[in-house]
Amino acid sequence: MKKEHWDEKEIEIFLKKAPKVTDHRSKDEVFNRLMDEGAFNEDPPHIEQNNQKGIRWAPLFVSIASIFIIVLISAQFIGNNESVTMQNETFDLATPESEESMTMSAKEDASTQRSMINSFSTEAQPEQTLVYESELEENTLFAIGLAGDDAESVPVSILIPNEIVAEKTGTENPTKLELYNTFSPLLDEQSLGFNEYHPYKGELREEGNRLVHMLPEDHQYDAGTASLSNYLGSLVDTFRDAYMEVEIQNTAGKPIYFDHVGDVKEPFLLNDENAQYNYFMYQMRNGAVYLSPNFRMSFKDVQEAIKNMTVEANDIYRTVILPGVYLKVEDAKSIVTITFEEPLNLDNYEPAQGMRMIEGLIMTVASFDKQVKFENIVQEQWGGYDFTKPVDKPVAANRIHYEFQ
């Protein structure tokens, strides 16, 4: 019976059933027979072995394991050699031509980075916020004092295209009061971050180069000293470019009575030395920044006004003079020369801060009806300004973009 598969137990049982082999011959008989068969000759007879009689399993397993280990070691060795070879080949690729290519690529990357930096620098150029006469050929200036977060008027300027002015007012050359009466009701002050304040309560009318403001009894413009300051400041910011004074009356046409002040018998002047201000930085709660007089503090002398610009007497108005910057002022008739003690490199400062200082000084000098000439600035042209000559006198500050519907 042929069995293809034997387990250890079946083999053990089979061996036990096999007959026992015994040999009764003596040693001499066995020896003599071996001698007769030539077992001790020099060339013993070749005995053919039957390879199928038995297999030595242990040596076979050892041989197979050895071969497997040798294969693994060889493969690892070959892999390492290939890796080394590839590394060497990669290193060898750095020929002069490839090195030149890599250098060119690095230069291109550096050039791209510089281009991006230059592009960013261009985008970061400061924007002028002052309005000049040259901009009024196709536009009409609408200047107005808006109520800020701290009950103080902030001067704001809007350029309205002439065709819109003609369409809304019915004339191509409206007076300042006609412009105000037409556009102030259309202005959404809250959308700009300001408090609702305009149009004024009561009635406004023109009498030559002066205004008359007739107030109702419940006007509330004198509810406190801050409210009165805001009201008078807004009159200056709104009408100073067109009128000399404002006469404030009650409904009976008599001089108005203000709490904390009494009867206002004299007209309120819009264009005298009391309107000669220096300009500070005022920041709204929404983050918007404007140039504004410091609580309407006025000066008789432009040198004194500029000197005072470095003094911060409160937490509301901050100086526009850059830290570590010192300057000298010379007042010569219509031109004020401002010389920086050390060469001023405006590129070393945040663009908006540099622009605020330049424009704050320009507006301060302009409030004295003068032009300014800057000296010892590294840049001859910067932010749209040409510092090689006196700067044109602006007509208004804090230009904002607003479209009237």
Side-chain angles (χ1 to χ4, degrees):
M1 179 178 180
K2 182 178 179 181
K3 273 200 171 185
E4 294 181 356
H5 302 286
W6 294 80
D7 56 24
E8 293 181 356
K9 187 174 182 180
E10 289 176 331
I11 294 173
E12 183 179 356
I13 294 173
F14 178 79
L15 292 176
K16 286 181 178 180
K17 292 180 179 181
K20 294 183 179 181
V21 179
T22 57
D23 190 357
H24 300 286
R25 295 175 299 175
S26 65
K27 295 180 180 180
D28 293 333
E29 291 177 348
V30 174
F31 179 75
N32 292 328
R33 183 173 180 175
L34 292 173
M35 287 290 291
D36 293 337
E37 292 177 355
F40 299 100
N41 293 340
E42 291 181 2
D43 297 322
H46 177 72
I47 300 175
E48 294 183 1
Q49 297 181 354
N50 189 354
N51 292 333
Q52 296 180 355
K53 283 188 176 180
I55 299 175
R56 297 184 179 182
W57 296 100
L60 179 60
F61 288 147
V62 171
S63 300
I64 294 174
S66 301
I67 294 171
F68 182 75
I69 291 172
I70 292 171
V71 170
L72 287 178
I73 294 174
S74 300
Q76 182 67 26
F77 180 78
I78 293 171
N80 290 339
N81 282 345
E82 289 178 352
S83 176
V84 172
T85 302
M86 291 182 67
Q87 291 177 3
N88 290 337
E89 289 176 354
T90 302
F91 180 80
D92 291 339
L93 287 175
T95 60
E97 292 79 4
S98 62
E99 288 178 357
E100 182 179 356
S101 176
M102 292 172 64
T103 303
M104 291 293 293
S105 177
K107 288 181 178 179
E108 290 176 358
D109 292 342
S111 176
T112 301
Q113 292 178 356
R114 284 195 298 270
S115 176
M116 293 174 64
I117 293 173
N118 291 336
S119 175
F120 177 79
S121 301
T122 301
E123 293 175 357
Q125 288 298 309
E127 180 181 359
Q128 293 185 14
T129 65
L130 305 186
V131 179
Y132 293 90
E133 191 71 35
S134 59
E135 300 177 86
L136 302 183
E137 293 182 3
E138 299 180 356
N139 301 286
T140 299
L141 172 63
F142 178 53
I144 188 170
L146 301 182
D149 296 324
D150 299 282
E152 278 294 319
S153 176
V154 179
V156 169
S157 307
I158 302 173
L159 293 179
I160 309 175
N162 292 336
E163 57 269 21
I164 294 180
V165 171
E167 175 187 345
K168 297 289 186 181
T169 64
T171 176
E172 294 182 355
N173 296 297
T175 66
K176 178 64 180 183
L177 182 57
E178 289 175 334
L179 198 67
Y180 174 82
N181 288 336
T182 301
F183 288 98
S184 63
L186 304 178
L187 182 63
D188 186 354
E189 297 160 78
Q190 289 185 338
S191 70
L192 299 173
F194 294 91
N195 298 313
E196 288 293 337
Y197 195 80
H198 294 277
Y200 290 113
K201 297 176 181 178
E203 178 188 345
L204 278 163
R205 70 176 186 271
E206 294 174 306
E207 291 183 356
N209 63 353
R210 65 196 295 267
L211 286 176
V212 176
H213 192 187
M214 186 176 290
L215 295 177
E217 292 183 1
D218 60 346
H219 58 79
Q220 295 296 309
Y221 290 139
D222 63 343
T225 55
S227 298
L228 185 58
S229 176
N230 186 32
Y231 166 66
L232 297 177
S234 70
L235 289 175
V236 174
D237 294 337
T238 305
F239 297 114
R240 69 176 296 180
D241 62 333
Y243 306 100
M244 295 298 298
E245 60 187 29
V246 179
E247 183 178 343
I248 307 172
Q249 301 176 348
N250 58 24
T251 54
K254 302 295 182 180
I256 193 72
Y257 175 86
F258 282 148
D259 289 341
H260 314 292
V261 175
D263 290 326
V264 183
K265 297 180 180 180
E266 298 295 329
F268 178 65
L269 300 178
L270 300 175
N271 277 299
D272 68 338
E273 63 181 23
N274 291 324
Q276 294 176 164
Y277 308 121
N278 57 9
Y279 282 77
F280 282 70
M281 181 187 81
Y282 175 70
Q283 185 169 9
M284 300 280 287
R285 293 192 183 97
N286 64 359
V289 176
Y290 300 94
L291 293 174
S292 181
N294 184 359
F295 287 113
R296 301 291 159 174
M297 182 183 296
S298 60
F299 302 86
K300 295 182 179 181
D301 181 79
V302 66
Q303 293 175 313
E304 181 186 0
I306 294 177
K307 181 180 179 181
N308 180 262
M309 291 177 68
T310 62
V311 179
E312 290 186 349
N314 54 75
D315 294 332
I316 297 177
Y317 297 101
R318 297 302 182 93
T319 180
V320 297
I321 306 300
L322 295 170
V325 173
Y326 302 93
L327 45 83
K328 296 182 294 184
V329 181
E330 296 179 15
D331 185 7
K333 295 183 179 180
S334 61
I335 296 179
V336 175
T337 301
I338 297 178
T339 303
F340 296 96
E341 293 186 0
E342 299 292 335
L344 177 64
N345 188 344
L346 290 169
D347 290 340
N348 291 339
Y349 300 91
E350 199 273 326
Q353 291 179 340
M355 182 61 76
R356 276 195 293 271
M357 183 183 74
I358 295 298
E359 294 193 329
L361 290 168
I362 293 174
M363 278 302 300
T364 298
V365 173
S367 71
F368 290 83
D369 198 23
K370 298 175 183 287
Q371 288 180 267
V372 62
K373 173 70 169 66
F374 291 103
E375 297 286 352
N376 208 19
I377 296 180
V378 173
Q379 292 79 14
E380 292 186 349
Q381 281 81 29
W382 181 86
Y385 287 107
D386 184 355
F387 296 130
T388 64
K389 59 184 181 180
V391 178
D392 292 336
K393 186 174 64 175
V395 295
N398 299 319
R399 175 174 52 196
I400 61 174
H401 302 282
Y402 189 89
E403 294 184 6
F404 288 97
Q405 302 299 325

